Amino acid sequence: MKRVWNILFFAFFISCLFLFKPRQDVVFTAINETQYIRMFEEGLDFELCVEENNIFTGTYALSKDTVFLMYRNTRQSAYTRPLPKKLYINKSTSNIKSTDDLSFSAEIHVDMRQKLHEGQNASILAVAPDR
């Protein structure tokens, strides 16, 4: 009987590892003491945290060094301040900042955007037929 419980516990533990595993498709991350943004490759999703515990999600569009944010379900939140809709990525200062005079500013921690584009171009060239 003890062996059955050990097997069940092990199966539960392994399934929890797969269910609660953090996303591995991070393209960009910027962090500050009280706020952060993480952008993901799959689905062009993002996660934005402002003022320590107010987390918002949505999708983003990237145009050169400007990020446009489109939020999901912001009506249900108790957070009443306006959220940034456009962020500028400054590579020279390793910082991302809201362009619409809001207080979002964070230091770039991970920036995989260039590798993402290079990988996409390499896969396109590898699949292109010979002429």
Side-chain angles (χ1 to χ4, degrees), residues 46 55-58 70-81 83 85:
F46 75 88
I55 298 175
F56 299 94
T57 60
M70 284 97 24
Y71 295 93
R72 292 185 200 119
N73 300 330
T74 56
R75 294 182 202 156
Q76 300 171 354
S77 174
Y79 186 78
T80 57
R81 295 185 184 169
L83 294 169
K85 292 188 168 94

Side-chain angles (χ1 to χ4, degrees), residues 1 16 20-21 31 36 39 53-54 56 64 67 70 77 87 95 106 108 110 118-119 128 130-131:
M1 186 66 168
C16 285
F20 300 116
K21 181 175 87 170
I31 302 170
Y36 69 84
M39 299 179 343
N53 59 357
N54 297 302
F56 299 94
K64 297 185 182 178
V67 180
M70 284 97 24
S77 174
L87 302 173
N95 199 349
I108 296 171
V110 174
E118 288 172 1
D130 294 331
R131 294 190 183 235

Side-chain angles (χ1 to χ4, degrees), residues 30-84:
I31 302 170
N32 194 340
E33 294 85 21
T34 60
Q35 51 199 3
Y36 69 84
I37 185 167
R38 288 190 298 176
M39 299 179 343
F40 304 99
E41 178 181 6
E42 187 176 319
L44 297 178
D45 295 329
F46 75 88
E47 181 178 272
L48 177 77
C49 177
V50 289
E51 293 185 9
E52 296 182 8
N53 59 357
N54 297 302
I55 298 175
F56 299 94
T57 60
T59 57
Y60 69 91
L62 188 61
S63 174
K64 297 185 182 178
D65 286 341
T66 305
V67 180
F68 299 93
L69 304 175
M70 284 97 24
Y71 295 93
R72 292 185 200 119
N73 300 330
T74 56
R75 294 182 202 156
Q76 300 171 354
S77 174
Y79 186 78
T80 57
R81 295 185 184 169
L83 294 169

Side-chain angles (χ1 to χ4, degrees), residues 41 44 113-127:
E41 178 181 6
L44 297 178
R113 294 174 300 137
Q114 188 63 28
K115 290 181 183 177
L116 173 69
H117 294 301
E118 288 172 1
Q120 288 175 348
N121 291 339
S123 64
I124 290 169
L125 292 174
V127 176

